[in-house]
Amino acid sequence: MPEAGVTVRWPDGRVEECWSPSLVVHDHLEAGRRYTVADFVDRCTAAMAEADRRVRARYGFACTGAAATVEAVGASASRHAADAEVEVLRVHPPLPGEPA
């Protein structure tokens, strides 16, 4: 199953790399966009839940890495106001047909 990474800049300027076990994260986040912290957490949680379902369907067990990503994003988000903005710097690898 292809993995994906999401590079984000939190409101305090800290850059963090988030991991996804699936390219499904492309359906939830877009490079170059800003999301409120609350919206970003919701989108990451939804993406990781969908990725976990894909892992379960393919391999028959839960993806602890997806759960760890949700936990890490939640911990980072807790340091910021819900209405502050997170910038998605990069979603990689790109989907087929997207520029690299």
Side-chain angles (χ1 to χ4, degrees):
M1 183 166 284
E3 300 175 354
V6 179
T7 308
V8 300
R9 180 178 294 121
W10 289 96
D12 61 4
R14 188 173 58 86
V15 174
E16 182 176 10
E17 183 72 23
C18 304
W19 175 83
S20 171
S22 167
L23 295 176
V24 71
V25 73
H26 282 277
D27 295 342
H28 298 270
L29 298 169
E30 184 181 333
R33 291 249 346 242
R34 292 178 179 266
Y35 302 93
T36 65
V37 169
D39 188 29
F40 179 73
V41 169
D42 289 346
R43 288 170 177 273
C44 283
T45 301
M48 293 305 108
E50 190 171 339
D52 180 66
R53 284 191 296 276
R54 289 180 179 196
V55 169
R56 283 178 191 267
R58 184 164 188 179
Y59 300 108
F61 54 83
C63 180
T64 57
T69 295
V70 170
E71 186 176 320
V73 166
S76 293
S78 71
R79 295 191 281 273
H80 305 286
D83 62 347
E85 290 188 333
V86 178
E87 181 181 7
V88 176
L89 301 173
R90 184 173 173 223
V91 182
H92 50 92
L95 292 174
E98 286 184 347

